[in-house]
Each structure stands twice: as structure tokens, then as C-alpha cells.
Amino acid sequence: MLYKSLEFKHVNGQKVKIVDIPFVEESNSYHFMLGIRLQSFISKIYAHQNPNKIYSFKEHLKRVMKWKDYEQLFNTEILKHNA
């Protein structure tokens, strides 16, 4: 899976970076949901007075999504014998 990152300046002038944003095609059923979750995550960061310098969107999704949906979105295949 491909990941994007987003960097912006907070209202107090501090740079904030969001990493591990999954890239999904518009035809994917999770495209709309990820856009809404990302918007709400960014607005939550803006609400903080002193935000962290870096955030992981993947970790945020792990906390707010149903586990079944999270596994389907980040479907990682387990390789046999470390191949």
C-alpha cells in the first residue's frame, strides 16, 4: 500500500506533519470515509494549543475504526518463511 504525508503550519506557527496517510483510489469503498476521518483529525490537531510535531494517521485510524474495517483497509499478507 502507498502512503502519503501532509505538512502544514499550525496557527501558532509550528510545523505539524501527518504521516502514514493511506492512498486509496476513488473507486475504493473506503475513499470517502478516509477523507472525512482525515478532515476531523486535522481539525482536532488545530484545536490543540501546542500540538506535537508529527502524527501518525494510521495509528489514529487504529483507535477510531472498527477492527474489521481496519484490517480490510490495511490488508497485509503474511509471508511464509520470511520470503
Coordinates of all heavy atoms in Angstrom, one line a residue:
M1 N 0.8 -1.2 0.0 CA 0.0 0.0 0.0 C 0.9 1.2 0.0 O 1.9 1.3 0.7 CB -0.9 0.0 1.2 CG -1.7 1.3 1.4 SD -2.9 1.2 2.7 CE -4.3 0.4 1.8
L2 N 0.5 2.2 -0.7 CA 1.2 3.5 -0.8 C 0.7 4.4 0.3 O -0.5 4.4 0.6 CB 1.0 4.2 -2.1 CG 1.6 3.5 -3.3 CD1 1.2 4.2 -4.6 CD2 3.1 3.4 -3.2
Y3 N 1.6 5.2 0.9 CA 1.2 6.2 1.9 C 1.6 7.6 1.5 O 2.6 7.8 0.8 CB 1.9 5.9 3.2 CG 1.5 4.5 3.8 CD1 2.2 3.4 3.6 CD2 0.3 4.5 4.6 CE1 1.8 2.2 4.2 CE2 -0.1 3.3 5.1 CZ 0.6 2.1 4.9 OH 0.2 1.0 5.4
K4 N 0.8 8.6 1.9 CA 1.1 10.0 1.7 C 1.4 10.6 3.1 O 1.2 10.0 4.1 CB -0.1 10.7 1.1 CG -0.5 10.2 -0.3 CD -1.6 11.0 -0.9 CE -2.9 10.8 -0.2 NZ -4.0 11.5 -0.9
S5 N 2.0 11.8 3.0 CA 2.2 12.6 4.2 C 1.7 14.0 3.9 O 1.7 14.5 2.8 CB 3.6 12.6 4.7 OG 4.5 13.2 3.7
L6 N 1.4 14.7 5.0 CA 0.9 16.1 4.9 C 1.6 16.9 5.9 O 1.7 16.6 7.0 CB -0.6 16.1 5.1 CG -1.4 17.4 5.2 CD1 -1.4 18.0 3.8 CD2 -2.8 17.2 5.7
E7 N 2.1 18.1 5.4 CA 2.8 19.0 6.3 C 2.1 20.4 6.2 O 1.9 20.9 5.1 CB 4.3 19.1 6.0 CG 5.1 19.8 7.0 CD 6.6 19.7 6.7 OE1 7.0 18.6 6.2 OE2 7.3 20.6 7.0
F8 N 1.9 21.0 7.4 CA 1.3 22.3 7.4 C 1.7 23.1 8.6 O 2.3 22.5 9.5 CB -0.3 22.2 7.3 CG -0.9 21.5 8.5 CD1 -1.3 22.1 9.6 CD2 -1.0 20.1 8.4 CE1 -1.8 21.4 10.7 CE2 -1.6 19.4 9.5 CZ -2.0 20.1 10.6
K9 N 1.4 24.4 8.6 CA 1.8 25.2 9.8 C 0.5 25.4 10.6 O -0.6 25.7 10.1 CB 2.3 26.6 9.4 CG 3.7 26.5 8.9 CD 4.3 27.9 8.8 CE 5.7 27.8 8.5 NZ 6.3 29.2 8.5
H10 N 0.7 25.2 11.9 CA -0.4 25.4 12.9 C -0.6 26.9 13.0 O 0.3 27.7 12.6 CB 0.0 24.8 14.2 CG -1.1 24.7 15.2 ND1 -1.3 25.6 16.1 CD2 -2.1 23.8 15.4 CE1 -2.4 25.3 16.9 NE2 -2.9 24.2 16.4
V11 N -1.7 27.4 13.6 CA -2.0 28.8 13.8 C -0.9 29.5 14.6 O -0.7 30.7 14.5 CB -3.4 29.0 14.4 CG1 -4.4 28.8 13.3 CG2 -3.6 28.2 15.6
N12 N -0.2 28.7 15.5 CA 0.8 29.3 16.3 C 2.2 29.3 15.6 O 3.2 29.7 16.2 CB 0.9 28.6 17.7 CG 1.4 27.2 17.6 OD1 1.7 26.7 16.5 ND2 1.4 26.5 18.7
G13 N 2.3 28.9 14.4 CA 3.5 29.0 13.6 C 4.3 27.7 13.6 O 5.3 27.6 12.9
Q14 N 3.9 26.7 14.4 CA 4.6 25.4 14.5 C 4.3 24.5 13.3 O 3.2 24.4 12.9 CB 4.3 24.7 15.8 CG 5.0 23.4 16.0 CD 4.5 22.7 17.3 OE1 3.7 23.3 18.0 NE2 4.9 21.5 17.5
K15 N 5.3 23.9 12.7 CA 5.1 22.9 11.6 C 4.6 21.6 12.2 O 5.1 21.1 13.2 CB 6.4 22.7 10.9 CG 6.8 23.7 9.9 CD 7.9 23.3 9.0 CE 8.2 24.3 8.0 NZ 9.3 23.9 7.1
V16 N 3.6 21.1 11.6 CA 3.0 19.8 12.0 C 3.0 18.9 10.8 O 2.6 19.3 9.7 CB 1.5 20.0 12.5 CG1 0.9 18.7 12.9 CG2 1.5 21.0 13.7
K17 N 3.3 17.6 11.0 CA 3.4 16.7 9.9 C 2.5 15.5 10.3 O 2.6 15.0 11.4 CB 4.8 16.2 9.7 CG 5.0 15.4 8.5 CD 6.5 15.1 8.2 CE 6.6 14.4 6.9 NZ 8.0 14.2 6.5
I18 N 1.7 15.1 9.3 CA 0.9 13.9 9.5 C 1.4 12.8 8.5 O 1.5 13.1 7.3 CB -0.6 14.2 9.2 CG1 -1.1 15.2 10.1 CG2 -1.4 12.9 9.3 CD1 -2.5 15.7 9.9
V19 N 1.8 11.7 9.0 CA 2.4 10.6 8.1 C 1.5 9.4 8.1 O 0.5 9.4 8.9 CB 3.8 10.2 8.6 CG1 4.8 11.4 8.5 CG2 3.8 9.7 10.1
D20 N 1.8 8.5 7.3 CA 1.0 7.2 7.1 C -0.4 7.4 6.7 O -1.3 6.8 7.3 CB 1.1 6.4 8.4 CG 2.5 6.0 8.8 OD1 3.3 5.8 7.9 OD2 2.7 5.8 10.0
I21 N -0.7 8.3 5.8 CA -2.0 8.5 5.2 C -2.1 7.5 4.1 O -1.4 7.7 3.1 CB -2.2 10.0 4.8 CG1 -2.0 10.9 5.9 CG2 -3.6 10.1 4.2 CD1 -2.0 12.4 5.5
P22 N -3.0 6.5 4.1 CA -3.1 5.6 3.0 C -3.7 6.2 1.8 O -4.6 7.0 1.8 CB -4.0 4.5 3.6 CG -4.8 5.2 4.7 CD -3.9 6.3 5.2
F23 N -3.1 5.8 0.6 CA -3.6 6.3 -0.6 C -4.5 5.2 -1.2 O -4.1 4.1 -1.4 CB -2.4 6.5 -1.6 CG -2.9 6.9 -3.0 CD1 -3.3 8.2 -3.2 CD2 -2.9 6.0 -4.0 CE1 -3.7 8.6 -4.5 CE2 -3.3 6.4 -5.3 CZ -3.7 7.7 -5.5
V24 N -5.8 5.6 -1.4 CA -6.7 4.7 -2.0 C -7.4 5.3 -3.2 O -7.5 6.5 -3.2 CB -7.8 4.2 -1.0 CG1 -7.3 3.4 0.2 CG2 -8.6 5.4 -0.4
E25 N -7.7 4.5 -4.2 CA -8.3 5.1 -5.4 C -9.8 5.5 -5.1 O -10.4 5.1 -4.1 CB -8.4 4.0 -6.4 CG -7.0 3.5 -6.8 CD -7.1 2.3 -7.7 OE1 -8.1 1.7 -7.9 OE2 -6.0 1.9 -8.3
E26 N -10.3 6.4 -5.9 CA -11.6 6.9 -5.7 C -12.7 5.9 -5.8 O -13.8 6.0 -5.2 CB -11.9 8.0 -6.8 CG -11.2 9.3 -6.5 CD -11.6 10.4 -7.4 OE1 -12.8 10.4 -7.8 OE2 -10.8 11.3 -7.6
S27 N -12.4 4.8 -6.5 CA -13.4 3.7 -6.6 C -13.4 2.8 -5.4 O -14.3 2.0 -5.2 CB -13.0 2.8 -7.9 OG -11.7 2.3 -7.7
N28 N -12.4 3.0 -4.5 CA -12.4 2.2 -3.3 C -13.5 2.6 -2.3 O -13.8 3.8 -2.2 CB -11.0 2.4 -2.6 CG -10.8 1.4 -1.5 OD1 -11.7 1.0 -0.7 ND2 -9.6 0.9 -1.4
S29 N -14.1 1.6 -1.7 CA -15.2 2.0 -0.8 C -14.8 2.8 0.5 O -15.6 3.4 1.1 CB -15.9 0.7 -0.3 OG -15.0 -0.2 0.4
Y30 N -13.5 2.8 0.8 CA -13.0 3.5 2.0 C -12.5 4.9 1.6 O -12.1 5.6 2.5 CB -11.8 2.7 2.6 CG -12.3 1.4 3.2 CD1 -11.9 0.2 2.7 CD2 -13.0 1.5 4.4 CE1 -12.3 -1.0 3.3 CE2 -13.4 0.3 5.0 CZ -13.1 -0.9 4.4 OH -13.5 -2.1 5.0
H31 N -12.6 5.3 0.4 CA -12.1 6.6 -0.1 C -12.8 7.8 0.7 O -12.2 8.7 1.2 CB -12.2 6.8 -1.6 CG -11.7 8.1 -2.1 ND1 -10.4 8.4 -2.2 CD2 -12.4 9.2 -2.5 CE1 -10.3 9.6 -2.6 NE2 -11.5 10.2 -2.8
F32 N -14.1 7.8 0.7 CA -14.9 8.8 1.3 C -14.7 8.8 2.8 O -14.5 9.9 3.4 CB -16.4 8.7 1.0 CG -17.3 9.7 1.6 CD1 -17.3 11.0 1.1 CD2 -18.1 9.4 2.7 CE1 -18.1 12.0 1.7 CE2 -18.9 10.3 3.3 CZ -18.9 11.6 2.8
M33 N -14.7 7.7 3.4 CA -14.6 7.6 4.9 C -13.2 8.1 5.3 O -13.1 8.8 6.3 CB -14.7 6.1 5.3 CG -14.8 6.0 6.8 SD -13.6 5.0 7.7 CE -12.6 4.2 6.5
L34 N -12.1 7.8 4.6 CA -10.8 8.2 4.9 C -10.7 9.7 4.8 O -10.0 10.4 5.6 CB -9.7 7.6 4.0 CG -9.4 6.1 4.4 CD1 -8.4 5.6 3.3 CD2 -8.9 6.0 5.8
G35 N -11.4 10.3 3.8 CA -11.3 11.8 3.6 C -12.0 12.5 4.8 O -11.5 13.5 5.3
I36 N -13.1 12.0 5.3 CA -13.8 12.5 6.4 C -13.0 12.4 7.7 O -12.9 13.3 8.5 CB -15.2 11.9 6.6 CG1 -16.1 12.2 5.4 CG2 -15.9 12.4 7.9 CD1 -16.4 13.6 5.1
R37 N -12.4 11.2 7.9 CA -11.6 11.0 9.1 C -10.4 11.9 9.1 O -10.0 12.4 10.1 CB -11.1 9.5 9.1 CG -12.3 8.5 9.2 CD -12.6 8.2 10.7 NE -13.6 7.1 10.7 CZ -14.1 6.7 11.8 NH1 -13.8 7.3 12.9 NH2 -15.0 5.8 11.7
L38 N -9.8 12.1 7.9 CA -8.6 13.0 7.8 C -9.0 14.4 8.2 O -8.3 15.1 8.9 CB -8.0 12.9 6.5 CG -6.7 13.7 6.3 CD1 -5.6 13.2 7.3 CD2 -6.2 13.5 4.8
Q39 N -10.1 14.9 7.7 CA -10.6 16.2 8.0 C -10.8 16.4 9.5 O -10.4 17.4 10.0 CB -11.9 16.5 7.2 CG -11.7 17.0 5.8 CD -13.0 17.4 5.2 OE1 -14.1 16.8 5.5 NE2 -13.0 18.3 4.3
S40 N -11.5 15.4 10.1 CA -11.7 15.5 11.5 C -10.5 15.4 12.3 O -10.3 16.1 13.4 CB -12.7 14.5 12.0 OG -12.2 13.2 11.8
F41 N -9.5 14.7 11.9 CA -8.2 14.5 12.6 C -7.4 15.9 12.5 O -6.9 16.3 13.5 CB -7.4 13.4 11.9 CG -6.1 13.1 12.6 CD1 -6.1 12.8 14.0 CD2 -4.9 13.0 12.0 CE1 -4.9 12.5 14.7 CE2 -3.8 12.7 12.6 CZ -3.8 12.4 14.0
I42 N -7.4 16.5 11.3 CA -6.8 17.8 11.2 C -7.4 18.9 12.0 O -6.8 19.7 12.7 CB -6.7 18.2 9.7 CG1 -5.8 17.3 8.9 CG2 -6.2 19.6 9.5 CD1 -5.8 17.4 7.4
S43 N -8.8 18.9 12.1 CA -9.5 19.9 12.9 C -9.2 19.6 14.4 O -9.1 20.6 15.2 CB -10.9 19.9 12.6 OG -11.5 18.7 12.9
K44 N -9.0 18.4 14.8 CA -8.7 18.1 16.2 C -7.3 18.6 16.5 O -7.0 19.1 17.6 CB -8.8 16.5 16.4 CG -8.7 16.1 17.9 CD -8.6 14.6 18.0 CE -9.9 14.0 17.6 NZ -10.0 12.6 17.9
I45 N -6.4 18.5 15.5 CA -5.0 19.0 15.8 C -5.0 20.5 15.9 O -4.3 21.1 16.7 CB -4.1 18.5 14.6 CG1 -3.9 17.0 14.7 CG2 -2.7 19.2 14.7 CD1 -3.1 16.4 13.5
Y46 N -5.8 21.1 15.0 CA -5.9 22.6 15.1 C -6.5 23.1 16.4 O -6.2 24.2 16.9 CB -6.8 23.1 14.0 CG -6.0 23.6 12.8 CD1 -6.0 22.9 11.6 CD2 -5.3 24.8 12.8 CE1 -5.3 23.3 10.5 CE2 -4.6 25.2 11.7 CZ -4.6 24.5 10.6 OH -3.9 24.9 9.5
A47 N -7.3 22.3 17.1 CA -7.9 22.7 18.3 C -6.9 22.7 19.5 O -7.1 23.3 20.5 CB -9.0 21.7 18.7
H48 N -5.8 21.9 19.4 CA -4.8 21.9 20.4 C -4.0 23.2 20.4 O -3.7 23.8 19.4 CB -3.8 20.8 20.2 CG -4.3 19.4 20.5 ND1 -5.5 19.0 20.1 CD2 -3.8 18.4 21.3 CE1 -5.7 17.7 20.6 NE2 -4.7 17.4 21.3
Q49 N -3.6 23.6 21.6 CA -2.8 24.8 21.7 C -1.3 24.6 21.3 O -0.7 25.3 20.5 CB -2.8 25.4 23.2 CG -4.1 26.0 23.6 CD -4.3 27.3 22.9 OE1 -3.4 28.0 22.5 NE2 -5.6 27.7 22.8
N50 N -0.8 23.5 21.8 CA 0.6 23.1 21.5 C 0.6 21.7 20.9 O 0.9 20.7 21.7 CB 1.5 23.2 22.7 CG 1.7 24.6 23.2 OD1 1.8 25.5 22.4 ND2 1.6 24.8 24.5
P51 N 0.4 21.5 19.6 CA 0.3 20.1 19.1 C 1.7 19.5 18.9 O 2.7 20.2 19.0 CB -0.3 20.4 17.7 CG 0.1 21.7 17.3 CD 0.2 22.5 18.6
N52 N 1.8 18.2 18.8 CA 3.0 17.5 18.6 C 3.5 17.9 17.2 O 2.8 18.4 16.4 CB 2.8 16.0 18.6 CG 2.4 15.5 20.0 OD1 2.6 16.2 21.0 ND2 1.8 14.4 20.1
K53 N 4.8 17.6 16.9 CA 5.4 17.9 15.6 C 5.0 16.9 14.6 O 5.0 17.2 13.4 CB 6.9 18.0 15.7 CG 7.3 19.2 16.5 CD 8.8 19.3 16.5 CE 9.2 20.5 17.4 NZ 10.7 20.7 17.4
I54 N 4.7 15.7 15.0 CA 4.4 14.6 14.0 C 3.3 13.7 14.6 O 3.3 13.4 15.7 CB 5.7 13.8 13.7 CG1 5.4 12.9 12.5 CG2 6.2 13.0 14.9 CD1 6.7 12.3 11.9
Y55 N 2.4 13.3 13.7 CA 1.3 12.5 14.0 C 1.2 11.3 13.0 O 1.6 11.5 11.8 CB -0.1 13.2 14.0 CG -0.3 14.2 15.1 CD1 0.1 15.5 14.9 CD2 -0.8 13.8 16.3 CE1 -0.1 16.4 15.9 CE2 -1.1 14.7 17.3 CZ -0.7 16.0 17.1 OH -0.9 16.9 18.1
S56 N 0.7 10.2 13.4 CA 0.5 9.0 12.5 C -1.0 8.9 12.3 O -1.7 8.6 13.2 CB 1.2 7.8 13.1 OG 0.8 6.7 12.3
F57 N -1.4 9.0 11.1 CA -2.8 8.9 10.7 C -3.2 7.4 10.9 O -4.3 7.1 11.2 CB -3.1 9.4 9.3 CG -4.5 9.4 9.0 CD1 -5.4 10.2 9.7 CD2 -5.0 8.7 7.9 CE1 -6.8 10.2 9.4 CE2 -6.4 8.7 7.6 CZ -7.3 9.5 8.3
K58 N -2.3 6.5 10.6 CA -2.6 5.1 10.7 C -2.9 4.7 12.1 O -3.8 3.9 12.4 CB -1.4 4.3 10.1 CG -1.6 2.8 10.1 CD -0.4 2.1 9.4 CE -0.6 0.6 9.4 NZ 0.6 -0.1 8.8
E59 N -2.1 5.2 13.0 CA -2.3 4.9 14.5 C -3.7 5.5 14.9 O -4.4 5.0 15.7 CB -1.2 5.5 15.3 CG 0.1 4.7 15.1 CD 0.0 3.3 15.5 OE1 -0.6 3.0 16.6 OE2 0.6 2.4 14.8
H60 N -4.0 6.7 14.4 CA -5.3 7.3 14.7 C -6.4 6.4 14.2 O -7.4 6.2 14.9 CB -5.4 8.7 14.1 CG -6.7 9.3 14.2 ND1 -7.2 9.8 15.4 CD2 -7.7 9.6 13.2 CE1 -8.4 10.3 15.2 NE2 -8.7 10.2 13.9
L61 N -6.3 5.9 13.0 CA -7.3 5.1 12.4 C -7.5 3.8 13.3 O -8.6 3.2 13.4 CB -7.0 4.7 11.0 CG -7.2 5.8 10.0 CD1 -6.8 5.4 8.6 CD2 -8.7 6.3 10.0
K62 N -6.4 3.3 13.8 CA -6.4 2.1 14.6 C -7.3 2.3 15.8 O -8.0 1.4 16.3 CB -5.0 1.7 15.0 CG -4.9 0.3 15.7 CD -3.5 0.0 16.2 CE -2.6 -0.3 15.0 NZ -1.3 -0.7 15.5
R63 N -7.3 3.5 16.4 CA -8.1 3.8 17.6 C -9.5 4.1 17.3 O -10.4 3.8 18.1 CB -7.5 5.0 18.3 CG -6.2 4.7 19.1 CD -5.7 5.9 19.8 NE -4.6 6.4 19.0 CZ -4.5 7.6 18.6 NH1 -5.4 8.5 18.9 NH2 -3.4 8.0 17.9
V64 N -9.8 4.7 16.1 CA -11.2 5.1 15.9 C -12.0 4.2 14.9 O -13.3 4.3 14.9 CB -11.2 6.6 15.3 CG1 -10.7 7.5 16.3 CG2 -10.5 6.7 14.0
M65 N -11.4 3.3 14.2 CA -12.1 2.5 13.3 C -12.5 1.1 13.9 O -11.8 0.7 14.9 CB -11.3 2.2 12.0 CG -11.2 3.3 11.0 SD -10.2 2.9 9.6 CE -11.2 1.7 8.8
K66 N -13.5 0.5 13.4 CA -13.7 -0.9 13.8 C -12.6 -1.7 13.3 O -12.0 -1.5 12.2 CB -15.0 -1.4 13.1 CG -16.3 -0.7 13.7 CD -17.5 -1.2 13.0 CE -18.7 -0.5 13.5 NZ -19.9 -0.9 12.9
W67 N -12.2 -2.7 14.1 CA -11.0 -3.5 13.8 C -11.2 -4.3 12.4 O -10.3 -4.4 11.7 CB -10.7 -4.5 14.9 CG -9.5 -5.2 14.7 CD1 -9.3 -6.6 14.4 CD2 -8.2 -4.7 14.7 NE1 -8.0 -6.9 14.2 CE2 -7.3 -5.7 14.4 CE3 -7.6 -3.4 14.9 CZ2 -5.9 -5.5 14.3 CZ3 -6.3 -3.2 14.8 CH2 -5.4 -4.3 14.5
K68 N -12.4 -4.8 12.2 CA -12.7 -5.5 10.9 C -12.4 -4.6 9.7 O -11.7 -5.0 8.7 CB -14.1 -6.0 10.9 CG -14.5 -6.7 9.7 CD -16.0 -7.1 9.8 CE -16.5 -7.7 8.5 NZ -17.9 -7.9 8.5
D69 N -12.8 -3.3 9.8 CA -12.6 -2.4 8.7 C -11.1 -2.0 8.6 O -10.6 -1.9 7.5 CB -13.4 -1.1 8.8 CG -14.9 -1.4 8.7 OD1 -15.3 -2.4 8.0 OD2 -15.7 -0.7 9.3
Y70 N -10.5 -1.9 9.7 CA -9.1 -1.5 9.7 C -8.2 -2.6 9.1 O -7.4 -2.3 8.3 CB -8.6 -1.3 11.2 CG -7.1 -1.0 11.3 CD1 -6.7 0.3 11.1 CD2 -6.2 -1.9 11.6 CE1 -5.4 0.7 11.2 CE2 -4.9 -1.6 11.7 CZ -4.4 -0.3 11.5 OH -3.1 0.0 11.6
E71 N -8.5 -3.9 9.4 CA -7.8 -5.0 8.8 C -8.1 -5.1 7.3 O -7.1 -5.4 6.5 CB -8.2 -6.3 9.4 CG -7.6 -6.6 10.8 CD -8.0 -7.9 11.3 OE1 -9.1 -8.4 11.0 OE2 -7.2 -8.5 12.0
Q72 N -9.3 -4.8 6.8 CA -9.5 -4.8 5.4 C -8.8 -3.7 4.7 O -8.3 -3.9 3.5 CB -11.0 -4.7 5.1 CG -11.8 -6.0 5.4 CD -13.3 -5.9 5.2 OE1 -13.8 -4.8 4.9 NE2 -14.0 -7.0 5.2
L73 N -8.7 -2.5 5.3 CA -8.0 -1.4 4.7 C -6.5 -1.6 4.6 O -5.9 -1.4 3.6 CB -8.3 -0.1 5.5 CG -7.7 1.2 5.0 CD1 -8.2 1.5 3.6 CD2 -8.0 2.3 5.9
F74 N -6.0 -2.1 5.7 CA -4.5 -2.3 5.7 C -4.2 -3.8 5.6 O -3.5 -4.4 6.4 CB -3.9 -1.8 7.0 CG -4.0 -0.3 7.1 CD1 -5.0 0.3 7.9 CD2 -3.2 0.5 6.4 CE1 -5.1 1.6 8.0 CE2 -3.3 1.9 6.5 CZ -4.3 2.5 7.3
N75 N -4.8 -4.5 4.6 CA -4.6 -5.9 4.5 C -3.1 -6.2 4.2 O -2.6 -5.9 3.1 CB -5.5 -6.4 3.3 CG -5.4 -7.9 3.2 OD1 -5.0 -8.6 4.1 ND2 -6.0 -8.4 2.1
T76 N -2.4 -6.8 5.1 CA -1.1 -7.1 4.9 C -1.0 -8.7 4.9 O -1.4 -9.4 5.7 CB -0.2 -6.6 6.1 OG1 -0.7 -7.1 7.3 CG2 -0.2 -5.1 6.1
E77 N -0.3 -9.1 3.8 CA -0.2 -10.5 3.6 C 1.0 -11.0 4.5 O 2.0 -10.4 4.5 CB 0.0 -10.9 2.2 CG -1.1 -10.5 1.3 CD -0.9 -10.8 -0.2 OE1 0.0 -11.6 -0.5 OE2 -1.5 -10.2 -1.0
I78 N 0.8 -12.1 5.2 CA 1.8 -12.7 5.9 C 2.6 -13.7 5.0 O 2.0 -14.6 4.4 CB 1.3 -13.5 7.2 CG1 0.5 -12.5 8.1 CG2 2.4 -14.2 7.9 CD1 -0.2 -13.2 9.2
L79 N 3.9 -13.5 4.9 CA 4.8 -14.3 4.1 C 5.3 -15.5 4.8 O 5.7 -15.4 6.0 CB 5.9 -13.4 3.5 CG 5.5 -12.2 2.8 CD1 6.8 -11.4 2.4 CD2 4.8 -12.6 1.5
K80 N 5.3 -16.6 4.2 CA 5.9 -17.8 4.8 C 7.4 -17.8 4.7 O 7.9 -17.4 3.6 CB 5.3 -19.1 4.1 CG 3.9 -19.3 4.4 CD 3.5 -20.6 3.8 CE 2.0 -21.0 4.2 NZ 1.7 -22.3 3.7
H81 N 8.0 -18.2 5.7 CA 9.5 -18.3 5.8 C 10.2 -17.1 5.4 O 11.2 -17.1 4.8 CB 9.9 -19.5 4.9 CG 9.2 -20.8 5.1 ND1 9.3 -21.5 6.3 CD2 8.3 -21.4 4.4 CE1 8.5 -22.6 6.2 NE2 7.9 -22.6 5.1
N82 N 9.6 -15.9 5.8 CA 10.3 -14.6 5.6 C 10.6 -14.4 4.1 O 11.6 -13.7 3.8 CB 11.5 -14.5 6.4 CG 11.2 -14.4 7.9 OD1 10.1 -14.0 8.3 ND2 12.1 -14.9 8.7
A83 N 9.8 -14.9 3.2 CA 10.1 -14.7 1.8 C 9.5 -13.5 1.2 O 8.5 -13.0 1.7 CB 9.5 -15.9 1.0

